[in-house]
Every structure is written in structure tokens, then in C-alpha cells.
Amino acid sequence: MPAPTHEWQKSSYCGQGDSCVHVAATAPGTIHLTESSDPTAAILRTTPTAFAALLRTTKRRADAETA
């Protein structure tokens, strides 16, 4: 389960009972990512710029697969 010190948001693509990605933004400009099914509760930290690039890339790939 995600660390309680962050305000986590669950991915809108997460279905009930699925493994879900959780995202939290903290100051100064750090994005935290974790997965609900990870028993180690590992947290990946990144910048808003890198996270935006990840989102753009995954959206492009998803759009290409549905075309």
C-alpha cells in the first residue's frame, strides 16, 4: 500500500481488484509513482518534465494500437 505521507491518486485506468499505479506530486517539483501490488512498496521518483514525457509516449502508443 502506498506510503501515507503522500496524497496518492490512483490511475483512472485501474479496474476493481487490478494492480494499480498511484501517483503523488510533492514540493519542490517531484513526482512519486508506486504500484499497489508491490509488496516492497517501492517508490519511483521523477521530475514533472520526465513524467509528462512518459505520459505522452504511452498515450501515443495506446492511440496507435487502437487505430
Side-chain angles (χ1 to χ4, degrees):
M1 190 47 113
T5 56
H6 300 308
E7 287 192 35
W8 294 99
Q9 282 188 297
K10 184 168 62 169
S11 168
S12 60
Y13 289 96
C14 182
Q16 203 169 15
D18 290 342
S19 176
C20 300
V21 173
H22 298 264
V23 180
T26 60
T30 302
I31 305 293
H32 302 269
L33 301 151
T34 191
E35 182 188 358
S36 60
S37 69
D38 179 5
T40 67
I43 297 173
L44 173 69
R45 288 180 295 252
T46 189
T47 65
T49 303
F51 185 59
L54 172 68
L55 294 177
R56 279 192 307 273
T57 301
T58 54
K59 180 168 177 21
R60 272 195 302 254
R61 288 185 181 165
D63 290 344
E65 289 177 7
T66 59

